[in-house]
Amino acid sequence: MLQPDTSLGQILHDWAVEENSTTLPWQQLAAEELTSSQRAKAFGITGANVEEIIQARSLIFKAVYPHILSLPAFRNQSRETTQISQSPAPNPQSSIALSLWNLWLPLAMQLASSRQQLKRPLIQGILGGQGTGKTTLADVLSVILAHLGYRTLSLSLDDLYKTYAERQHLQQQDPRLIWRGPPGTHDVELGLQLLDQLRQPNRREPILVPRFDKSAWEGAGDRTTPEQVEGIDIVLFEGWFVGVRPIDSAVFDAPTPPPIQTEADRLFARDMNEQLKGYLPLWEQLDRLIVLYPTDYRLSQQWRLQAEQQMIATGRSGMTEPQVGEFVEYFWRSLHPELFITPLTKNPRLVDLVIEINPDHTVGTVYQPEDA
């Protein structure tokens, strides 16, 4: 597990903003890179190349750090609300600096290298549940990759929802689909057409990217004006079950984890598992897959409640604690994390990188599934 040196984070921060004429401790940085063998292996760092890597990374770090700090996720944040960062340091900025150095920069450089090798746009999948920091990670990677000369597109599985009218019709056919989100509520064909266009090398024509407005129809949501893009190099495709595969239905014959308890629950889980088969052609378009993996899947309920309480505190409407519990458990019934996501973290054929997320949203172990 990553054990960040908070003084190193402060040194990185001070060096980046040129406070006290700090010089980088190259030997300490090199040692830090090799401390976690799993992380070093995941990012291709060895004793032979570590010095070259930290020299190259330091140049990018200093250039992008101010832009990272200005992102909405980090602007005026408190230590408690830092997302996808290392363990809390004396101040949030040093924590962000350490996260940038240890995780975001090597990951962005890895994506840039993969894009070069492919000779066509790269489709990077990001799988993560509520509160794991999918959007923040995509925002950070976009800033770094832009500095490296790559145009990125952030695409959410939400952007592929069926229209409001289509989902209303779907709910009439199956009243169990009380919320948007589970398998079957997305337009997979639309996603296939989009990714097919985005993957084409040297495409000159603009591409229309569907976008989804969650506030439409009093929160039920609907499609909104598409975004026109061109010249995209890397697509960051994120969602709560991006890349998730169907499992053996016999699993539902054995005892299942809560809240899959009744026969009706098991039938719903079976049906959602069956719906996943329709998403397989979409997942086949992914070139890579990252899993943001909470150390305990039940944290998503806690994180969702915190998010709702923060919204209520600002005067906006939000769900109560019982409503949050019902909402989160609904998604656990459809695709339970222990049944569908935990096995992926051990599958090197389907997943390239696992980033563990601690209860305070900080990053734990970073590893390739084969090293789990």
Side-chain angles (χ1 to χ4, degrees), residues 290-336:
I290 292 171
V291 179
L292 302 177
Y293 186 58
T295 53
D296 185 333
Y297 75 89
R298 291 166 294 190
L299 287 167
S300 61
Q301 195 165 37
Q302 171 188 322
W303 292 335
R304 183 59 191 242
L305 180 59
Q306 290 172 348
E308 295 295 325
Q309 290 172 339
Q310 288 169 4
M311 282 197 295
I312 293 171
T314 61
R316 293 177 291 171
S317 60
M319 288 188 283
T320 64
E321 187 168 351
Q323 289 173 327
V324 167
E326 183 181 356
F327 179 79
V328 173
E329 287 187 0
Y330 171 76
F331 289 94
W332 288 346
R333 285 190 188 94
S334 62
L335 297 176
H336 198 286

Side-chain angles (χ1 to χ4, degrees), residues 7 41 46 57 110 140 168 213 244-245 289 327:
S7 64
K41 182 180 178 183
T46 66
R57 195 187 300 174
Q110 189 176 69
V140 169
Q168 289 293 102
D213 179 5
V244 171
R245 307 284 177 133
L289 181 62
F327 179 79

Side-chain angles (χ1 to χ4, degrees), residues 219-343:
D222 204 357
R223 298 249 182 94
T224 186
T225 307
E227 178 185 0
Q228 183 171 294
V229 302
E230 54 187 306
I232 298 298
D233 296 300
I234 298 172
V235 178
L236 303 173
F237 183 21
E238 55 90 358
W240 79 278
F241 70 92
V242 165
V244 171
R245 307 284 177 133
I247 60 176
D248 186 346
S249 61
V251 168
F252 303 107
D253 295 330
T256 48
I260 307 174
Q261 297 176 315
T262 68
E263 197 54 45
D265 292 338
R266 281 186 281 275
L267 178 59
F268 182 57
R270 286 178 184 274
D271 291 345
M272 293 300 99
N273 186 51
E274 188 68 23
Q275 286 284 351
L276 266 182
K277 294 178 181 178
Y279 289 74
L280 290 177
L282 197 58
W283 306 154
E284 293 300 328
Q285 301 299 305
L286 301 177
D287 295 305
R288 291 170 44 95
L289 181 62
I290 292 171
V291 179
L292 302 177
Y293 186 58
T295 53
D296 185 333
Y297 75 89
R298 291 166 294 190
L299 287 167
S300 61
Q301 195 165 37
Q302 171 188 322
W303 292 335
R304 183 59 191 242
L305 180 59
Q306 290 172 348
E308 295 295 325
Q309 290 172 339
Q310 288 169 4
M311 282 197 295
I312 293 171
T314 61
R316 293 177 291 171
S317 60
M319 288 188 283
T320 64
E321 187 168 351
Q323 289 173 327
V324 167
E326 183 181 356
F327 179 79
V328 173
E329 287 187 0
Y330 171 76
F331 289 94
W332 288 346
R333 285 190 188 94
S334 62
L335 297 176
H336 198 286
E338 284 191 344
L339 301 178
F340 288 89
I341 298 178
T342 297

Side-chain angles (χ1 to χ4, degrees), residues 83-113:
Q83 289 196 6
I84 303 294
S85 65
Q86 306 301 329
S87 298
N91 64 68
Q93 290 183 332
S94 62
S95 179
I96 295 167
L98 201 57
S99 302
L100 178 59
W101 183 267
N102 279 339
L103 177 62
W104 302 328
L105 270 176
L107 178 55
M109 294 168 74
Q110 189 176 69
L111 297 188
S113 176

Side-chain angles (χ1 to χ4, degrees), residues 72-272:
F74 304 126
R75 199 182 303 135
N76 300 323
Q77 70 170 10
S78 66
R79 189 178 310 166
E80 291 75 22
T81 57
T82 304
Q83 289 196 6
I84 303 294
S85 65
Q86 306 301 329
S87 298
N91 64 68
Q93 290 183 332
S94 62
S95 179
I96 295 167
L98 201 57
S99 302
L100 178 59
W101 183 267
N102 279 339
L103 177 62
W104 302 328
L105 270 176
L107 178 55
M109 294 168 74
Q110 189 176 69
L111 297 188
S113 176
S114 295
R115 168 63 180 87
Q116 288 179 343
Q117 293 172 19
L118 270 182
K119 309 296 184 186
R120 63 158 174 79
L122 169 75
I123 312 296
Q124 171 65 69
I126 302 175
L127 163 62
Q130 172 71 31
T132 53
K134 301 182 297 296
T135 302
T136 300
L137 179 61
D139 288 346
V140 169
L141 290 175
S142 295
V143 169
I144 302 170
L145 288 165
H147 173 77
L148 296 175
Y150 296 92
R151 294 191 63 181
T152 62
L153 171 70
S154 291
L155 177 69
S156 172
L157 186 60
D158 294 356
D159 292 317
L160 302 181
Y161 276 132
K162 293 179 178 180
T163 65
Y164 173 74
E166 289 169 338
R167 284 181 290 111
Q168 289 293 102
H169 180 65
L170 197 62
Q171 192 176 24
Q172 290 172 1
Q173 294 178 314
D174 188 349
R176 298 175 302 176
L177 297 175
I178 55 177
W179 280 297
R180 64 173 186 262
T185 60
H186 304 87
D187 189 335
V188 175
E189 187 57 38
L190 176 65
L192 283 170
Q193 293 172 3
L194 174 63
L195 293 185
D196 180 64
Q197 293 176 41
L198 289 167
R199 283 165 58 97
Q200 294 175 13
N202 305 315
R203 181 187 171 96
R204 299 182 183 277
E205 302 85 358
I207 298 171
L208 290 179
V209 179
R211 294 303 188 190
F212 190 79
D213 179 5
K214 295 181 182 180
S215 67
W217 296 100
E218 298 182 338
D222 204 357
R223 298 249 182 94
T224 186
T225 307
E227 178 185 0
Q228 183 171 294
V229 302
E230 54 187 306
I232 298 298
D233 296 300
I234 298 172
V235 178
L236 303 173
F237 183 21
E238 55 90 358
W240 79 278
F241 70 92
V242 165
V244 171
R245 307 284 177 133
I247 60 176
D248 186 346
S249 61
V251 168
F252 303 107
D253 295 330
T256 48
I260 307 174
Q261 297 176 315
T262 68
E263 197 54 45
D265 292 338
R266 281 186 281 275
L267 178 59
F268 182 57
R270 286 178 184 274
D271 291 345
M272 293 300 99

Side-chain angles (χ1 to χ4, degrees), residues 34 43-55:
L34 300 173
F43 294 129
I45 302 167
T46 66
N49 66 17
V50 64
E51 186 174 338
E52 179 185 352
I53 284 175
I54 63 174
Q55 289 281 0

